[in-house]
C-alpha cells in the first residue's frame, strides 16, 4: 500500500508541479510556525511579565530606532510583531482546522444522507442549504457574533460553522448522486448489504474525493474570515493573538507612517492563504477526471 | 417548437411556491430575532432604566405588554415589524427603522458602484483571458486573480488607504464627502468631493468578487466559444466584436449573473467590512456601531431588512431564471 502510494502518479505529478510545491511549502511552514510558536518566537507577547510598554511602537530592526530582539518592530503595547505573528498563526490554524473538522463532518453527513435517501430529507436539507448559502457564511458569522456577547476561539469556530457546513453538504450530495448509480453499489445492495454498511463502506469512500478540494478551499476562506471577524472586533477576544486584530491595531498608526504594524501581519496572512489556494488549485486539477495531463 | 418564455400554469405554481418558501424563511428569521430580542437581557431593565423601582418596572412591563403570553407578544412583534416598527434604539432613543433607512442611500450607492466596477473589470478580463488562455499576459492575469482571492477585503482597503491617501495623498481616506439631498435620497454622486470619496471604498468592495467573476466568465466563455453556432458566426464573417460580445458573452453570462444574484448576502457582508474601514456612513457601519453598543433594536431591524432584501432578490433571480430558460423543471 505504502509502496504503491510512493510510486503513484499523483505523487509524481505533485513533485513536478511548481505551484503545488510552493503552496504546500508555505502551508507546511505556517503549520510548523503555529505548532512551535512558543519555541521559536523571540518573546511571548501574551506573557505580561515579558512585555513592557517602554518598547512600544519600535520600527523593524534595520530601520533607525529599531532594536533586538524585535526583528520586525513592536506594536503599541510593546509586543514584538514577529512573535505576535507566530502566535497569531496558531489562532488562524486552530479556527481553520476547527471549522473544517466540525462543519466538514456535519456537512458531509448531511450530504451523504440527503443524497442517499432523497425525498423529503433531501429537499429540506437542500432548501436549508440554499438559504444559508444566500445569507453567506460571512454575514451569518458577523450577525451571530454581534448578537451574542461571549467571545472566544470556540465561539468564533461555531459562528462560522453555522453556515459553512453548506459547502460540504452540497458537494457531498452531488457526488453521492453520481456514485449511487454505479454498478458496484447495486451489487452491494443485491448481495444484501444494509443501509449502514452501504453508506459507510461503499458510498462514503467513493464519494469523498471532491470533498478534499472543498476542505482546501474552505481552509483558506475560514482563515481569512477569522482575520476579518477579529479585525471588526467581533472575533477572538483581545487577550488572544490574531493576525486580524494586529492589522486592526496597526490601522490607526498608518497615518503616522508606521507601515510595519499592518504590512507584516498582512503579508503573513496573504502568504498563508496564497499557499493554501495554490495547493487547492493543484488538487482540483489533479482530482478532476476531465483534465488530461 | 416554440421556446419563447411563457407564463404557464406550472410557472405560476412555481412562483407561488417560491413566495411561500420566502415567507416561511422570513418568519423563521423573525422568530429567532424575537427570541434573542426578548430573552437576551431583560428588556424591562433596558426600557425602565437600571435604577427604576420594582413598581416602575411592573408599570413598564404592563405598558409594553411584556407580561402577556409568548405567542401574543410574538404576533405583536410581527404586526409591528410589518409596518416597519421595530422599537426605538436604546442609544439614540429614536425609531430604529428610521435610523437604518436614513443610511440606506449611502450603502446602495457604494454597493452599486462596487458591482459596476467588479462586473466591468471581472467580465472584461475574463473575456480577454478566454480568447487566448495561454498567452503570457493572460497567465499574469490569472496569477493576479489568485492573489486577489487570497487578499481579505479589509486588508485591500487598508493598503489602498496607505498608498492613495497616506503616501500619494490623492484620495480622501474616509467619509462620504459632500452630499446633495434630492427628496429623501442623499446622494454623493453629484459633487466632486462625493465622487473622490467613493473611489477607494467602491474599489475595495468591488474586489471581493472580482476574481470569482473573472473565473466564471473565463470558464463560461471557453465552453461557449467551442459551440457550433459560434463557429457559424465566425464562418459568416461577422465582425469579431459582434461574435464575442453578442453571440458568445450573452450566453456565458447566465451563470455569472445567477451567481451574483444568489450570493447577495456576501455583498451585504462585505459592505459591512468596507463601510467600517472607510467610516462610510451606511447601514453596515451603523450595524457595527450598534453591535459595540449592544443596541439590539437596531441590530434586529438590520437583520430583518437584510433578510428581506436577500430573500426577495433570490426569488426574483430564481423566477427570472426559470422564465428565461425553457429547459428548467419546476421542482
Amino acid at each position: 500500500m505504502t509502496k504503491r502510494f510512493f510510486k503513484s502518479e499523483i505523487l509524481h505529478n505533485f513533485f513536478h508541479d511548481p505551484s503545488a510545491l510552493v503552496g504546500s511549502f508555505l502551508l507546511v511552514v505556517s503549520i510548523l510556525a503555529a505548532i512551535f510558536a512558543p519555541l521559536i518566537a523571540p518573546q511571548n507577547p501574551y506573557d505580561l511579565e515579558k512585555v513592557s510598554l517602554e518598547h512600544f511602537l519600535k520600527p523593524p530592526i534595520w530601520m533607525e530606532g529599531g532594536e533586538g530582539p524585535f526583528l520586525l518592530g513592536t506594536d503599541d503595547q510593546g509586543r514584538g510583531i514577529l512573535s505576535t505573528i507566530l502566535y497569531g498563526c496558531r489562532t488562524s490554524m486552530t479556527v481553520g482546522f476547527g471549522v473544517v473538522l466540525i462543519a466538514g463532518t456535519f456537512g458531509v453527513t448531511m450530504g451523504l444522507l440527503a443524497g442517499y435517501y432523497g425525498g423529503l430529507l433531501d429537499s429540506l436539507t437542500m432548501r436549508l442549504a440554499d438559504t444559508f448559502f444566500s445569507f453567506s457564511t460571512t454575514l451569518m458569522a458577523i450577525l451571530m457574533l454581534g448578537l451574542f456577547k461571549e467571545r472566544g476561539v470556540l465561539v468564533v469556530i461555531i459562528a462560522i460553522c453555522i453556515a459553512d457546513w453548506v459547502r460540504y453538504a452540497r458537494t457531498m450530495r452531488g457526488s453521492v448522486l453520481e456514485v449511487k448509480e454505479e454498478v458496484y453499489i447495486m451489487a452491494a445492495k443485491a448481495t444484501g448489504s444494509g443501509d449502514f454498511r452501504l453508506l459507510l463502506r461503499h458510498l462514503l469512500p467513493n464519494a469523498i474525493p471532491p470533498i478534499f478540494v472543498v476542505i482546501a478551499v474552505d481552509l483558506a476562506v475560514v482563515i481569512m474570515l477569522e482575520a476579518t471577524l477579529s479585525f471588526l472586533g467581533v472575533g477572538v477576544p483581545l487577550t488572544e493573538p490574531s493576525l486580524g486584530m494586529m492589522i486592526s491595531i496597526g490601522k490607526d498608526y498608518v497615518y503616522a507612517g508606521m507601515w510595519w504594524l499592518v504590512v507584516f501581519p498582512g503579508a503573513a496572512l496573504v502568504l498563508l492563504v496564497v499557499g493554501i489556494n495554490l495547493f487547492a488549485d493543484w488538487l482540483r486539477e489533479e482530482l478532476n477526471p476531465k483534465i488530461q495531463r | 417548437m416554440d421556446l419563447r418564455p411563457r407564463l404557464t400554469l406550472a410557472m405560476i405554481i412555481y412562483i407561488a411556491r417560491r413566495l411561500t418558501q420566502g415567507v416561511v424563511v422570513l418568519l423563521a428569521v423573525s422568530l429567532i430575532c424575537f427570541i434573542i430580542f426578548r430573552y437576551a437581557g431583560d428588556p424591562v431593565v433596558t426600557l425602565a432604566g437600571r435604577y427604576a423601582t420594582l413598581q416602575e418596572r411592573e408599570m413598564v412591563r404592563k405598558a409594553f405588554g411584556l407580561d402577556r403570553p409568548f405567542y401574543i407578544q410574538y404576533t405583536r412583534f410581527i404586526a409591528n415589524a410589518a409596518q416597519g416598527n421595530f422599537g426605538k434604539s436604546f442609544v439614540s432613543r429614536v425609531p430604529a427603522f428610521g435610523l437604518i433607512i436614513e443610511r440606506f442611500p449611502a450603502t446602495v450607492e457604494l454597493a452599486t458602484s462596487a458591482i459596476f466596477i467588479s462586473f466591468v473589470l471581472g467580465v472584461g478580463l475574463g473575456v480577454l483571458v478566454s480568447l487566448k488562455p495561454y498567452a503570457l499576459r493572460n497567465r499574469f492575469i490569472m496569477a493576479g486573480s489568485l492573489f486577489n482571492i487570497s487578499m481579505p477585503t479589509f486588508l485591500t482597503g487598508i493598503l489602498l488607504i496607505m498608498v492613495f491617501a497616506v503616501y500619494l495623498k490623492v484620495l480622501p481616506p474616509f467619509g462620504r464627502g459632500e452630499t446633495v439631498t434630492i427628496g429623501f435620497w442623499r446622494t454623493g454622486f453629484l459633487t466632486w468631493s462625493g465622487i473622490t470619496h467613493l473611489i477607494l471604498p467602491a474599489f475595495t468592495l468591488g474586489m471581493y468578487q472580482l476574481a470569482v467573476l473573472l473565473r466564471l466568465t473565463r470558464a463560461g466563455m471557453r465552453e461557449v466559444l467551442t459551440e457550433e453556432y459560434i463557429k457559424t458566426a465566425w464562418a459568416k464573417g461577422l465582425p469579431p466584436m459582434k461574435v464575442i460580445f453578442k453571440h458568445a458573452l450573452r450566453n456565458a453570462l447566465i451563470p455569472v449573473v445567477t451567481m451574483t444574484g444568489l450570493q447577495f448576502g456576501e455583498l451585504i457582508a462585505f459592505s459591512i467590512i468596507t463601510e467600517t474601514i472607510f467610516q462610510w456612513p451606511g447601514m453596515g457601519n451603523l450595524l457595527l456601531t450598534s453591535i459595540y453598543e449592544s443596541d439590539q433594536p437596531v441590530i434586529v431591524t438590520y437583520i430583518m431588512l437584510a433578510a428581506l432584501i436577500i430573500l426577495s432578490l433570490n426569488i426574483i433571480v430564481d423566477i427570472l431564471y426559470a422564465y428565461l430558460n425553457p429547459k428548467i423543471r419546476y421542482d
Side-chain angles (χ1 to χ4, degrees):
Chain A
M1 186 68 200
T2 344
K3 205 172 173 185
R4 243 174 68 199
F5 176 73
F6 281 115
K7 286 196 172 166
S8 70
E9 202 183 340
I10 194 161
L11 207 66
H12 175 266
N13 289 343
F14 179 81
F15 281 108
H16 287 79
D17 188 305
S19 69
L21 285 176
V22 174
S24 36
F25 172 74
L26 287 172
L27 186 57
V28 168
V29 168
S30 321
I31 292 177
L32 290 179
I35 295 172
F36 297 108
L39 297 178
I40 45 178
Q43 52 150 196
N44 177 359
Y46 289 84
D47 179 357
L48 288 179
E49 283 178 20
K50 301 264 172 60
V51 176
S52 98
L53 271 174
E54 59 189 90
H55 298 296
F56 79 107
L57 294 174
K58 293 271 181 229
I61 200 158
W62 60 87
M63 281 170 64
E64 200 174 321
E67 58 180 79
F70 309 111
L71 284 177
L72 301 180
T74 61
D75 70 1
D76 59 344
Q77 305 283 316
R79 292 178 289 221
I81 300 282
L82 178 63
S83 309
T84 320
I85 287 176
L86 291 171
Y87 277 82
C89 261
R90 294 191 116 183
T91 308
S92 299
M93 290 291 177
T94 315
V95 174
F97 283 105
V99 170
V100 165
L101 196 70
I102 297 173
T105 312
F106 183 71
V108 165
T109 313
M110 291 305 282
L112 192 63
L113 295 178
Y116 180 65
Y117 288 108
L120 188 66
L121 178 75
D122 185 34
S123 44
L124 271 182
T125 314
M126 283 306 117
R127 269 287 146 220
L128 199 63
D130 284 349
T131 311
F132 277 125
F133 180 73
S134 55
F135 277 78
S136 101
T137 307
T138 318
L139 186 61
M140 290 294 278
I142 294 177
L143 293 178
M144 283 298 150
L145 291 165
L147 282 169
F148 293 101
K149 290 285 147 274
E150 258 70 39
R151 289 282 173 270
V153 174
L154 192 64
V155 184
V156 173
I157 293 179
I158 291 167
I160 297 177
C161 283
I162 288 176
D164 199 58
W165 62 274
V166 169
R167 291 169 188 275
Y168 297 91
R170 289 178 139 209
T171 310
M172 192 61 190
R173 173 180 174 269
S175 179
V176 166
L177 286 182
E178 255 173 51
V179 172
K180 207 165 81 167
E181 303 300 320
E182 300 278 347
V183 182
Y184 57 82
I185 299 292
M186 288 179 207
K189 253 189 204 162
T191 51
S193 294
D195 272 6
F196 189 70
R197 186 181 161 83
L198 205 66
L199 280 171
L200 278 187
R201 282 293 301 274
H202 298 287
L203 275 176
L204 183 65
N206 288 300
I208 205 113
I211 292 293
F212 295 134
V213 180
V214 180
I215 289 179
V217 173
D218 196 39
L219 190 61
V221 171
V222 170
I223 285 177
M224 284 203 287
L225 184 51
E226 182 277 318
T228 304
L229 293 169
S230 300
F231 173 81
L232 292 178
V234 295
V236 299
L238 277 169
T239 47
E240 300 276 347
S242 157
L243 296 174
M245 202 182 306
M246 291 179 81
I247 297 170
S248 161
I249 293 169
K251 174 191 67 172
D252 299 333
Y253 295 96
V254 159
Y255 301 102
M258 300 184 196
W259 52 271
W260 59 90
L261 288 165
V262 165
V263 169
F264 293 128
L269 181 62
V270 172
L271 280 178
L272 173 57
V273 178
V274 163
I276 300 171
N277 276 332
L278 278 173
F279 184 72
D281 273 356
W282 171 78
L283 202 62
R284 187 183 294 121
E285 293 202 357
E286 196 60 41
L287 294 177
N288 188 347
K290 282 181 200 151
I291 296 175
Q292 294 282 318
R293 280 177 173 258
Chain B
M1 198 169 71
D2 185 14
L3 284 180
R4 272 176 306 178
R6 249 181 320 197
L7 207 62
T8 56
L9 185 65
M11 182 83 214
I12 294 169
I13 294 174
Y14 175 75
I15 294 176
R17 195 144 82 205
R18 285 299 283 114
L19 285 176
T20 327
Q21 279 165 355
V23 172
V24 170
V25 175
L26 209 56
L27 281 176
V29 173
S30 73
L31 186 62
I32 296 168
C33 281
F34 174 73
I35 290 171
I36 289 163
F37 188 54
R38 181 65 188 77
Y39 297 100
D42 189 356
V44 173
V45 178
T46 328
L47 287 165
R50 204 171 301 240
Y51 305 106
T53 62
L54 266 178
Q55 265 175 331
E56 284 170 333
R57 280 186 190 175
E58 230 17 74
M59 274 166 64
V60 167
R61 202 182 294 277
K62 278 239 162 66
F64 285 85
L66 294 169
D67 54 343
R68 314 287 287 277
F70 177 83
Y71 65 93
I72 294 187
Q73 287 190 40
Y74 178 59
T75 333
R76 278 224 336 216
F77 175 80
I78 293 287
N80 283 334
Q83 297 162 21
N85 180 3
F86 290 88
K88 288 180 178 172
S89 152
F90 290 162
V91 178
S92 56
R93 301 272 165 193
V94 295
F97 189 68
L99 264 184
I100 290 193
I101 284 302
E102 194 189 337
R103 286 159 173 255
F104 188 66
T107 299
V108 171
E109 287 186 0
L110 173 62
T112 42
S113 315
I115 292 182
F116 180 75
I117 291 172
S118 68
F119 248 86
V120 170
L121 278 179
V123 173
L125 289 174
V127 170
L128 195 71
V129 173
S130 73
L131 296 178
K132 282 181 185 165
Y134 298 106
L136 187 65
R137 174 190 65 198
N138 295 336
R139 281 172 184 265
F140 270 113
I141 295 179
M142 289 316 286
S145 88
L146 176 81
F147 213 67
N148 176 253
I149 285 185
S150 311
M151 178 87 94
T153 298
F154 71 93
L155 194 57
T156 315
I158 295 177
L159 292 181
L160 284 178
I161 290 180
M162 266 172 89
V163 174
F164 291 100
V166 178
Y167 290 104
L168 298 177
K169 294 191 174 63
V170 284
L171 288 168
F174 52 77
R176 202 182 168 201
E178 285 166 33
T179 53
V180 181
T181 313
I182 304 169
F184 69 98
W185 193 277
R186 190 125 64 91
T187 177
F189 282 151
L190 296 176
T191 63
W192 178 244
S193 134
I195 291 187
T196 50
H197 279 82
L198 182 66
I199 295 173
L200 288 186
F203 257 92
T204 307
L205 183 53
M207 286 303 134
Y208 90 91
Q209 59 168 7
L210 181 70
V212 178
L213 289 184
L214 193 159
R215 286 176 177 217
L216 273 177
T217 312
R218 169 174 167 263
M221 282 295 282
R222 285 181 74 177
E223 211 179 294
V224 171
L225 283 175
T226 60
E227 299 270 353
E228 292 297 327
Y229 69 88
I230 297 294
K231 289 180 192 158
T232 314
W234 286 121
K236 276 199 298 189
L238 288 181
M241 280 297 162
K242 208 167 177 185
V243 180
I244 293 165
F245 287 101
K246 194 155 176 232
H247 292 239
L249 185 61
R250 266 176 72 170
N251 289 294
L253 270 187
I254 297 172
V256 181
V257 174
T258 317
M259 185 73 186
T260 321
L262 291 185
Q263 276 240 292
F264 204 73
E266 288 277 284
L267 183 69
I268 293 185
F270 283 97
S271 73
I272 298 175
I273 300 162
T274 311
E275 286 179 12
T276 307
I277 303 165
F278 291 96
Q279 295 166 36
W280 187 261
M283 295 157 58
N285 196 359
L286 176 70
L287 174 77
L288 264 214
T289 323
S290 306
I291 286 176
Y292 300 144
E293 292 167 342
S294 302
D295 197 345
Q296 272 172 356
V298 181
I299 303 176
V300 167
T301 318
Y302 182 93
I303 295 177
M304 292 297 296
L305 209 63
L308 185 69
I309 295 173
I310 293 171
L311 285 171
S312 324
L313 257 157
N314 258 2
I315 293 174
I316 291 171
V317 168
D318 275 355
I319 292 176
L320 271 182
Y321 194 71
Y323 185 67
L324 293 176
N325 191 347
K327 278 185 278 183
I328 198 170
R329 286 180 298 128
Y330 307 109
D331 52 8

